[in-house]
């Protein structure tokens, strides 16, 4: 007797069920992805897989909250006391294919690690929402590389990079520690980080409401095979997904001025946007 090799409908994954509910998308999903992967999206579209560099970006919670307009938006979980992941962004890879949704089950096995190393600091945005935005805007473009060609692999790679670039102790050993009183110079930080992070990582600041330059982010350029160092100019792609929406100030981050000392604010879980008054 002939038997179907397909599993019962109730045992299918959420991703498969989603595609079955969209006949047009399901019928052409593979073709769309192949066209996307190899840049065949018409003469008016860019080849989204032609990127050469990717930026691994870490943010400092004590500085990140200074980039928000409203005092009640930021929330730093009590467990967070270190640099966290902001994103893994292919350089100049905009408008990724929207035909690859991410479901909770795709990254469920990583949820505990992601919550520790890649949390959302916005009260209005859950961590899963944050991860979903990063996948849709950046991860799908990164998926052109085999080692990152699924939500699970993309986030696994990001977590491995976070382990590789755990530079908190490097800074501490060099006497660069969070402080409300002591400002630092860009060159001091470069002297500590450059030997470990390759070609001049970008040290980024925001300007707080008292006009102080505050360190909040480091962008580490990597090549397509994720080795340290890659020549690029400017930002990854304009404005990352996590910077969109109400509540953000007009200054989402800029290279810390080389001649102007900046502050490396401590993390204050009770008053995340006012750690230094």
């Amino acid at each position: 007797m002939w038997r179907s090799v397909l599993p019962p409908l109730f045992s299918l994954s959420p991703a498969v069920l989603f595609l079955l509910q969209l006949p047009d998308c399901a019928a052409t999903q593979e073709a769309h992805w192949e066209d996307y992967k190899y840049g065949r999206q018409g003469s008016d579209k860019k080849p989204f897989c032609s990127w050469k560099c990717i930026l691994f970006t870490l943010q400092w919670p004590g500085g990140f909250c200074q980039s928000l307009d409203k005092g009640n938006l930021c929330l730093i979980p009590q467990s967070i006391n270190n640099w966290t992941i902001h994103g893994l962004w292919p350089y100049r890879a905009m408008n990724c294919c929207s035909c690859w949704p991410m479901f909770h089950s795709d990254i469920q096995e990583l949820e505990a690690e992601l919550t520790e190393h890649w949390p959302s600091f916005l009260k209005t945005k859950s961590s899963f929402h944050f991860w979903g935005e990063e996948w849709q805007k950046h991860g799908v473009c990164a998926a052109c590389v085999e080692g990152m060609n699924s939500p699970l692999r993309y986030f696994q790679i990001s977590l491995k990079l976070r382990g590789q670039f755990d530079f908190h102790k490097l800074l501490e050993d060099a006497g660069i520690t969070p402080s409300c009183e002591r400002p630092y110079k860009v060159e001091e930080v470069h002297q500590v980080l450059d030997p470990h992070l390759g070609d001049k990582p970008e040290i980024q600041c925001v300007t707080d409401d008292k006009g102080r330059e505050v360190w909040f982010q480091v962008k580490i350029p990597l090549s397509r095979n994720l080795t340290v160092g890659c020549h690029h100019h400017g930002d990854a792609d304009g404005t990352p997904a996590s910077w969109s929406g109400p509540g953000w100030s007009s200054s989402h981050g800029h290279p810390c001025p080389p001649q102007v000392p900046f502050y490396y604010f401590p993390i204050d879980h009770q008053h995340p946007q006012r750690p230094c008054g």
Side-chain angles (χ1 to χ4, degrees), residues 178-192:
S179 171
C180 290
E181 290 79 33
R182 181 187 171 186
Y184 298 95
K185 294 183 179 179
V186 172
E187 190 55 37
E188 290 180 78
V189 175
H190 275 301
Q191 287 175 358
V192 175

Side-chain angles (χ1 to χ4, degrees), residues 59-77 120-122 206-209 214-216 247-249 265-269 271-275:
Q59 61 187 0
W60 177 245
F64 167 84
C65 292
Q66 312 310 307
S67 67
L68 301 177
D69 283 332
K70 299 179 180 178
N72 61 352
L73 275 180
C74 204
L75 174 66
I76 303 176
S120 169
F121 297 133
L122 291 180
V206 292
T207 305
D208 74 357
D209 57 6
V214 180
W215 189 14
F216 95 111
W248 292 92
S249 68
F265 280 174
I267 295 172
D268 186 331
H269 298 95
H271 308 285
Q273 286 185 257
R274 298 273 180 189

Side-chain angles (χ1 to χ4, degrees), residues 23-165:
D24 292 339
C25 182
T28 58
Q29 180 79 359
E30 185 174 353
H32 283 342
W33 173 245
E34 287 301 305
D35 283 347
Y36 159 74
K37 184 175 181 180
Y38 297 107
R40 299 192 296 266
Q41 294 206 10
S43 58
D44 61 331
K45 301 288 182 70
K46 294 181 179 179
F48 301 118
C49 287
S50 63
W51 55 269
K52 304 298 182 186
C53 301
I54 192 166
L55 299 179
F56 182 59
T57 307
L58 292 170
Q59 61 187 0
W60 177 245
F64 167 84
C65 292
Q66 312 310 307
S67 67
L68 301 177
D69 283 332
K70 299 179 180 178
N72 61 352
L73 275 180
C74 204
L75 174 66
I76 303 176
Q78 290 291 330
S79 59
I80 303 300
N81 292 287
N82 206 331
W83 290 78
T84 62
I85 300 170
H86 195 165
L88 183 60
W89 307 328
Y91 175 62
R92 294 198 184 283
M94 294 185 290
N95 302 319
C96 299
C97 173
S98 60
C99 58
W100 195 341
M102 186 181 86
F103 298 91
H104 189 267
S105 58
D106 292 329
I107 58 169
Q108 193 166 10
E109 66 185 79
L110 300 177
E111 188 166 11
E113 284 184 89
L114 289 172
T115 299
E116 178 183 357
H117 298 298
W118 198 334
S120 169
F121 297 133
L122 291 180
K123 290 182 180 180
T124 55
K125 182 180 296 183
S126 70
S127 289
F128 180 75
H129 185 186
F130 182 20
W131 306 330
E133 285 183 336
E134 291 296 308
W135 167 252
Q136 286 291 339
K137 187 168 183 181
H138 305 289
V140 178
C141 285
C144 302
V145 174
E146 186 174 351
M148 294 185 280
N149 62 356
S150 72
L152 179 63
R153 290 183 176 184
Y154 173 72
F155 287 102
Q156 282 176 328
I157 288 292
S158 298
L159 289 169
K160 287 181 180 178
L161 290 171
R162 173 62 186 82
Q164 180 179 342
F165 299 119

